[in-house]
């Protein structure tokens, strides 16, 4: 009986294989290679994947950000069409607070990472663990800590990765504070991989990432003037698919949303009653904002959007933001807090879409006159001012997403692609 069942299963598998490759052969015969029906090819590949007949590879990235730590476990197969990696599964889970909140208790940082690793193990089959690279990159949160505290957290977390059962690459320290340059470039790679623009003949998209502690702007310049006139270190060579590419990328530490909010509150005038309460045009009601370094109390001066915009713009200008002229001509993809606040303010559908920069201004004007607003007045005004500091106009459209084709717009995917290259 068992032998008959095995034979039937084998015949069934052979039938599916024959059917699949017949469909694929028809596709190859019907279209020039560059015009192949991708939908049909994807259907074939999906069936092959179900039968476990396509090579798979996985990568685990832990994004230790300023406001929380996120684990992303990526699963790829190799396309039968062109040999490219195709992302077919992704785990995303966040734990709060960020590792920098454990500055005085590094062992608690290790515990939070241990939980994230267990989630990744539950997503990836055990027989793949030893060949699955893992890496933890900390961003602005740890960059802003004193060196000794950041190092204590890193050493504590390294132990968790070493005992995880996942593979640690020889050329990757496993746990480190990510350079701002790498963060920007990996974000750019993620966006263009998900839009299927890496290696295409079309112009790639620019990536605008707004985190809690820093913000990044990255794109692949095609104008010689961009390369010649940009500040030193803003344009770097990066090997992508074995080909050297010049990428414009810069991260502004301190221009993340939370870092800027804190700086503006600190820089505001005080109430004069001895309680160190800030008075700001960027708030419409009294707010106490609890942070790990203390409580920030602020009350409104009811002067509205225009005074807030002037204050925030002056602060951004002090950071020396560069505005490359070529950026105006590119498709702009914005994510992270650009997405979160746009949805919260009602100017973007949760599925994402195109938002004119003017919409951020109009939303800021609305919330800066709403007495129920806590942080939206400042947050939207800051985003609008930052986008204008890049040389963009009110009529420019942003493609604002949390996910593209069902996958997170996070620098972690760009890093995973490099880990598997």
């Amino acid at each position: 009986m068992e032998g008959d069942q095995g034979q039937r299963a084998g015949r069934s598998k052979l039938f599916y294989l024959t059917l699949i490759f017949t469909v694929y052969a028809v596709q190859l015969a019907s279209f020039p290679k560059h015009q192949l029906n991708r939908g049909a090819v994807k259907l074939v590949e999906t069936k092959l994947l179900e039968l476990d007949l396509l090579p798979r590879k996985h990568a685990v990235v832990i994004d230790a950000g300023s406001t929380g730590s996120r684990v992303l476990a990526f699963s790829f197969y190799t396309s039968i069409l062109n040999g490219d990696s195709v992302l077919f599964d992704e785990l995303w889970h966040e734990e709060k607070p960020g590792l920098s909140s454990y500055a005085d208790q590094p062992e608690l940082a290790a515990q939070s990472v241990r939980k994230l690793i267990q989630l990744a193990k539950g997503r990836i089959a055990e027989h793949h663990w030893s060949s699955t690279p893992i890496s933890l990159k900390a961003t602005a949160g740890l960059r802003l800590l004193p060196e000794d505290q950041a190092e204590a957290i890193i050493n504590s977390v390294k132990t968790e990765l070493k005992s995880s059962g996942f593979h640690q690459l020889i050329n990757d320290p496993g746990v480190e504070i990510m350079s701002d340059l790498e963060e920007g470039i990996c974000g750019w790679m993620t966006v263009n991989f998900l839009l299927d623009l890496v290696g295409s003949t079309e112009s790639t998209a620019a990536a605008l990432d707004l985190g809690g502690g820093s913000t990044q702007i990255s794109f692949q310049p095609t104008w010689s003037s961009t390369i010649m006139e940009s500040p030193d270190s803003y344009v770097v060579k990066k090997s992508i698919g074995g080909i050297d590419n010049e990428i414009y990328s810069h991260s502004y530490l301190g221009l993340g949303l939370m870092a800027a909010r804190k700086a503006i509150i600190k820089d505001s005038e005080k109430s004069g009653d001895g309680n160190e309460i800030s008075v700001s045009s960027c708030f419409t009601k009294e707010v106490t904002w609890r942070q790990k370094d203390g409580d920030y109390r602020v009350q409104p001066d009811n002067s509205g959007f225009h005074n807030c915009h002037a204050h925030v713009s002056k602060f951004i200008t002090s950071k020396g933001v560069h505005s490359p002229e070529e950026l105006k001509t590119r498709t702009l993809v914005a994510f992270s807090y650009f997405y979160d606040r746009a949805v919260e303010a009602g100017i973007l559908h949760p599925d994402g879409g195109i938002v004119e920069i003017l919409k951020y201004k109009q939303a800021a004007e609305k919330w800066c006159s709403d007495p129920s607003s806590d942080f939206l007045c400042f947050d939207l005004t800051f985003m609008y001012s930052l986008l204008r500091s890049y040389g963009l106009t009110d009529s420019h459209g942003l493609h604002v997403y949390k996910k593209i084709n069902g996958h997170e717009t996070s620098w972690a995917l760009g890093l995973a692609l490099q880990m598997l290259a």
Side-chain angles (χ1 to χ4, degrees), residues 210-226:
L210 178 59
S214 61
T215 190
Q216 291 79 36
I217 171 174
S218 307
F219 66 97
Q220 188 172 23
T222 58
W223 295 6
S224 59
S225 58
T226 302

Side-chain angles (χ1 to χ4, degrees), residues 21-77:
F21 283 108
T22 299
V23 172
Y24 184 53
V26 169
Q27 287 297 318
L28 284 173
S30 302
F31 295 91
K33 188 173 181 180
H34 67 283
Q35 293 179 354
L36 281 174
N37 186 316
R38 292 195 176 192
V41 173
K42 185 69 177 290
L43 184 64
V44 170
E45 292 178 337
T46 300
K47 181 55 67 175
L48 288 172
L49 194 63
E50 290 174 2
L51 296 171
D52 200 21
L53 293 171
L54 286 179
R56 303 181 186 207
K57 49 189 176 181
H58 312 270
V60 177
V61 176
I62 299 176
D63 166 9
S66 57
T67 58
S69 296
R70 295 157 285 274
V71 61
L72 294 99
F74 301 101
S75 297
F76 304 86
Y77 68 79

Side-chain angles (χ1 to χ4, degrees), residues 11 13 137 231 266 312 353-354 369 393:
R11 286 195 297 270
K13 194 170 186 178
K137 304 290 186 184
K266 283 183 174 180
V312 170
I354 300 177
S369 61
T393 66

Side-chain angles (χ1 to χ4, degrees), residues 263-276:
I264 290 294
I265 293 175
K266 283 183 174 180
D267 187 53
S268 299
E269 294 182 5
K270 306 307 174 189
S271 62
D273 59 5
N275 291 322
E276 286 299 301

Side-chain angles (χ1 to χ4, degrees), residues 180-181 185 230-237 247-251:
D180 50 9
L181 176 63
I185 290 177
S230 295
D232 292 344
S233 80
Y234 281 48
V235 179
V236 297
K237 279 189 168 57
I247 307 294
Y248 176 107
S249 185
H250 191 70
S251 178

Side-chain angles (χ1 to χ4, degrees), residues 112-378:
S112 70
V113 169
R114 188 182 311 143
K115 181 176 180 180
L116 297 176
I117 290 173
Q118 289 303 317
L119 290 169
K121 284 184 169 183
R123 192 63 162 247
I124 297 171
E126 186 173 356
H127 65 276
H128 286 296
W129 292 354
S130 62
S131 61
T132 297
I134 185 171
S135 184
L136 183 149
K137 304 290 186 184
T139 53
L142 286 195
R143 288 182 201 140
L144 296 170
L145 280 184
E147 185 176 349
D148 60 331
Q149 290 184 326
E151 193 64 27
I153 290 175
I154 288 173
N155 288 335
S156 178
V157 169
K158 272 185 178 179
T159 303
E160 296 299 325
L161 265 70
K162 286 180 179 178
S163 61
S164 68
F166 290 121
H167 176 60
Q168 290 199 272
L169 296 170
I170 295 175
N171 60 347
D172 189 317
V175 179
E176 67 175 347
I177 297 178
M178 191 179 205
S179 73
D180 50 9
L181 176 63
E182 187 178 15
E183 184 177 359
I185 290 177
C186 285
W188 174 84
M189 287 181 66
T190 293
V191 165
N192 286 282
F193 176 84
L194 293 177
L195 292 174
D196 201 22
L197 292 176
V198 175
S200 76
T201 56
E202 301 176 48
S203 293
T204 53
L208 307 179
D209 186 1
L210 178 59
S214 61
T215 190
Q216 291 79 36
I217 171 174
S218 307
F219 66 97
Q220 188 172 23
T222 58
W223 295 6
S224 59
S225 58
T226 302
I227 298 170
M228 298 289 292
E229 297 170 8
S230 295
D232 292 344
S233 80
Y234 281 48
V235 179
V236 297
K237 279 189 168 57
K238 181 69 177 178
S239 178
I240 301 172
I243 301 174
D244 283 341
N245 294 268
E246 288 184 299
I247 307 294
Y248 176 107
S249 185
H250 191 70
S251 178
Y252 295 94
L253 188 62
L255 284 185
L257 185 61
M258 301 304 156
R261 187 194 288 175
K262 187 179 293 187
I264 290 294
I265 293 175
K266 283 183 174 180
D267 187 53
S268 299
E269 294 182 5
K270 306 307 174 189
S271 62
D273 59 5
N275 291 322
E276 286 299 301
I277 300 176
S278 298
V279 180
S280 173
S281 56
C282 295
F283 294 83
T284 62
K285 69 177 183 180
E286 188 165 329
V287 172
T288 298
W289 185 33
R290 189 149 293 167
Q291 294 291 286
K292 61 179 179 287
D293 59 345
D295 291 347
Y296 288 80
R297 298 178 63 192
V298 60
Q299 62 186 32
D301 70 3
N302 299 313
S303 59
F305 165 78
H306 294 289
N307 281 356
C308 177
H309 177 44
H311 189 183
V312 170
S313 296
K314 182 179 178 181
F315 168 70
I316 292 172
T317 300
S318 73
K319 296 294 185 179
V321 174
H322 181 240
S323 52
E325 188 70 20
E326 185 178 354
L327 186 66
K328 300 175 184 178
T329 69
R330 309 306 289 271
T331 297
L332 306 171
V333 178
F335 46 104
S336 301
Y337 279 118
F338 283 121
Y339 168 88
D340 296 338
R341 292 300 180 266
V343 171
E344 189 177 346
I347 60 174
L348 178 68
H349 189 276
D351 290 343
I354 300 177
V355 179
E356 280 192 350
I357 291 175
L358 175 63
K359 295 293 185 181
Y360 282 93
K361 178 184 179 182
Q362 292 171 336
E365 290 173 331
K366 171 189 171 184
W367 287 101
C368 286
S369 61
D370 187 331
S372 69
S373 171
D374 46 14
F375 299 113
L376 276 177
C377 172
F378 169 79

Side-chain angles (χ1 to χ4, degrees), residues 93-109:
H93 179 82
E94 181 176 34
E95 287 289 317
K96 293 188 176 184
L99 296 187
S100 57
S101 298
Y102 304 117
D104 299 320
Q105 297 175 293
E107 68 280 1
L108 294 183

